[in-house]
Amino acid sequence: MAYRGIFISQGQRETSDCYFEARHPGPICDFSDLNSGVQWICGKPPSLSCDYFRHMENYLNESNILSKDEEMLLESSNILTEVTPGGAASVFVHKKDLKSTFGQCHIQSLKPSSFTGFFLNNRWIPSHCQIQYFDSPDKTVQCLKGKKVFLIGDSTTRQWWEYLLHHIPSLKAVDVGRHEWYSEHLAIDVANDIVVQWKTHGMPWQTGGEIVFFDLHPAVNQINTIFGGPDVVLVFTFGPHFSPFPLRRYIRALIKVRTALQKLLIRNPETIVILKNTNTRKVYSDILHRSDLLSSDMNKAFSMVFKGMKVGFVDAWDMTVAYDSWDIHPSSGVVKNEIDLFLSYVCHE
């Protein structure tokens, strides 16, 4: 995956390659953010100055780094080949009282786990707490009344914003962004003093067409501008947009976000912080850059970096595996259960 910067002035258009670090051989345009430590550097275009940087686009770098045998191994048709069992097997199901012996879902120190729950009758049953189900808009409004919800992440957290917008009739969208897929999304319920905002986590970001780079604010900067408090809920996730790049870049970004979240919780310990990891996705032809194997590695890093932090955790990976969901944008059934778990951390009966 690679990026190209687009510079425009009075109808003149020039492009140059852009990178996460200073590795351009010639003169550069440095758009790095000093506050967050996020580097972004483009080669200087042939004649236009750096001030004319307008847009950016991503493209798949076709440089051949695999042998023919390696390419064949990664063909989706080979990966999706069914592995049949060698012989008969049996599964025994024992009846058990489904009433949870756990208490309500509370913010607690994050502990990496290989199992966080299961689905029964399209309801998520967590293995660590008693979930609530917010089926009615009234119950959801009572939970979120007087709260400001900041969603920072990718399009899967934008799905949360869209779900809440449609679920709560009194929550109204405010047009504040220029692009449907990556600009800020804002919704307000004036009567119940509810604000729900979604913003991207910043670079890296991939989408079809041109991107306004300056609309992508680094997650660290966004967190640092939130004062916090008992009426503030912050949801954070990122993952899929990092999968085409080395895991070390993802880990460095996670560590910076952890530091920002720690400062937020020191600033105001009553702030509610919810983390969501990466869900499953379809197998694409460019499996070298996007696959569940890469997502699994990122989720392991996600859990280890945030281990010990007092947060609520929505395990989107376990939920989509259990739901048999393989779409990068899970169905409304999955999103509804993610929201139910999220709200269970926010509000207690």
Side-chain angles (χ1 to χ4, degrees):
M1 186 64 65
Y3 289 90
R4 184 183 294 118
I6 301 169
F7 300 75
I8 300 175
S9 174
Q10 298 180 343
Q12 183 180 356
R13 178 187 175 100
E14 296 180 352
T15 64
S16 67
D17 291 331
C18 300
Y19 310 92
F20 285 98
E21 56 268 322
R23 56 180 178 138
H24 189 77
I28 63 170
C29 296
D30 192 347
F31 302 109
S32 301
D33 184 88
L34 298 179
N35 292 325
S36 64
V38 175
Q39 285 190 299
W40 192 249
I41 294 168
C42 300
K44 189 179 181 305
S47 61
L48 295 178
S49 75
C50 299
D51 296 332
Y52 293 109
F53 181 43
R54 293 282 298 278
H55 302 98
M56 182 179 63
E57 60 185 358
N58 58 275
Y59 63 95
L60 189 61
N61 191 342
E62 297 293 345
S63 58
N64 190 9
I65 61 174
L66 300 177
S67 67
K68 292 295 183 182
D69 289 339
E70 288 171 331
E71 288 180 352
M72 187 177 298
L73 178 66
L74 292 177
E75 282 289 332
S76 59
S77 57
N78 294 329
I79 291 172
L80 294 176
T81 301
E82 182 179 0
V83 179
T84 56
S90 300
V91 176
F92 297 96
V93 179
H94 299 279
K95 186 176 180 180
K96 186 177 181 180
D97 185 1
L98 291 176
K99 292 183 179 179
S100 174
T101 57
F102 296 101
Q104 295 182 344
C105 300
H106 288 280
I107 302 298
Q108 57 185 335
S109 295
L110 180 61
K111 299 177 181 178
S113 172
S114 59
F115 168 74
T116 60
F118 61 92
F119 272 100
L120 179 67
N121 298 327
N122 294 322
R123 299 277 203 183
W124 179 247
I125 314 294
S127 61
H128 61 286
C129 66
Q130 184 68 53
I131 192 173
Q132 300 178 60
Y133 300 106
F134 293 79
D135 298 332
S136 73
D138 288 344
K139 184 176 180 179
T140 307
V141 166
Q142 288 306 309
C143 176
L144 293 179
K145 194 169 186 176
K147 289 185 170 56
K148 298 175 178 63
V149 181
F150 297 94
L151 306 171
I152 301 175
D154 51 41
S155 53
T156 62
T157 41
R158 192 181 66 233
Q159 285 183 275
W160 286 24
W161 183 90
E162 293 165 350
Y163 175 89
L164 291 170
L165 181 67
H166 290 98
H167 181 60
I168 303 175
S170 54
L171 191 64
K172 304 299 182 183
V174 180
D175 187 6
V176 293
R178 73 185 94 206
H179 196 284
E180 180 182 1
W181 302 118
Y182 61 82
S183 294
E184 176 187 353
H185 286 47
L186 181 66
I188 299 175
D189 181 342
V190 176
N192 294 293
D193 191 22
I194 300 172
V195 177
V196 183
Q197 179 195 72
W198 173 85
K199 285 186 177 181
T200 75
H201 54 60
M203 289 298 292
W205 191 265
Q206 296 103 44
T207 189
E210 297 177 352
I211 309 168
V212 179
F213 171 78
F214 298 104
D215 279 355
L216 302 178
H217 305 287
V220 169
N221 288 356
Q222 295 179 54
I223 297 168
N224 287 339
T225 61
I226 297 172
F227 177 69
D231 60 338
V232 173
V233 183
L234 171 64
V235 178
F236 172 77
T237 186
F238 61 24
H241 291 270
F242 282 83
S243 65
F245 305 101
L247 184 61
R248 63 179 179 274
R249 179 167 292 142
Y250 180 63
I251 294 174
R252 284 201 298 266
L254 287 176
I255 292 171
K256 291 174 182 176
V257 169
R258 178 189 169 103
T259 300
L261 290 175
Q262 287 175 321
K263 290 178 180 178
L264 170 62
L265 293 174
I266 291 172
R267 199 159 55 239
N268 212 315
E270 293 181 288
T271 308
I272 300 171
V273 176
I274 311 292
L275 303 180
K276 182 178 82 69
N277 63 2
T278 300
N279 54 258
T280 54
R281 65 185 306 162
K282 291 178 181 176
V283 177
Y284 289 88
S285 56
D286 58 333
I287 196 169
L288 184 64
H289 303 98
R290 298 183 176 94
S291 74
D292 279 345
L293 177 61
L294 298 172
S295 297
S296 176
D297 284 343
M298 289 192 299
N299 279 341
K300 291 175 184 176
F302 189 92
S303 295
M304 293 308 297
V305 169
F306 292 113
K307 179 181 178 182
M309 284 201 70
K310 289 192 174 182
V311 296
F313 180 53
V314 176
D315 194 338
W317 178 266
D318 260 18
M319 294 177 80
T320 47
V321 168
Y323 201 85
D324 196 26
S325 168
W326 304 103
D327 193 337
I328 185 61
H329 299 114
S331 68
S332 58
V334 173
V335 175
K336 190 249 188 284
N337 280 278
E338 290 178 341
I339 293 287
D340 284 341
L341 182 55
F342 151 62
L343 294 175
S344 295
Y345 286 117
V346 176
C347 304
H348 306 117
E349 294 179 333

